[in-house]
Amino acid sequence: MYAAVRRYEGVTDPAEAGRLVDEGFVPIMRQVPGFVAYYWVDAGHGVMVSTSVFQDRAGADASIERAADFVRENLASLLPNPPQVTAGEVVASA
């Protein structure tokens, strides 16, 4: 499995960002081949973190591209700073 983690800082309205992600982005993620799980976390203090898990690297790479497109088209005013993106092979899970 592969995972992609995106950390967004300076989020201007976490509640609205969460609503838009839940209603608009989660359905997009479910359509990516190899989808396993997706989480959007409000870490407080204007920080939100997403975690995407896929069966393979191709799915994780596709999720990074789709996330960038979705943010640009729907969340740019709420997520003013580019995310820190970390992706890689899952080596342990529960």
Side-chain angles (χ1 to χ4, degrees):
M1 287 190 299
Y2 275 76
V5 178
R6 291 176 286 280
R7 177 185 169 96
Y8 298 89
E9 297 180 353
V11 179
T12 60
D13 187 343
E16 180 64 3
R19 183 187 71 77
L20 291 170
V21 167
D22 187 48
E23 294 175 3
F25 188 62
V26 170
I28 292 169
M29 293 302 287
R30 287 187 177 132
Q31 295 175 4
V32 175
F35 173 80
V36 174
Y38 179 81
Y39 304 97
W40 179 257
V41 178
D42 183 348
H45 306 289
V47 175
M48 300 192 92
V49 178
S50 71
T51 302
S52 309
V53 181
F54 292 88
Q55 289 293 335
D56 56 28
R57 183 176 183 162
D61 289 346
S63 80
I64 293 168
E65 292 177 25
R66 292 185 189 195
D69 292 343
F70 187 83
V71 168
R72 186 174 41 259
E73 295 170 10
N74 300 283
L75 296 172
S77 65
L78 302 175
L79 307 176
N81 302 311
Q84 299 170 351
V85 180
T86 304
E89 185 175 355
V90 175
V91 296
S93 66

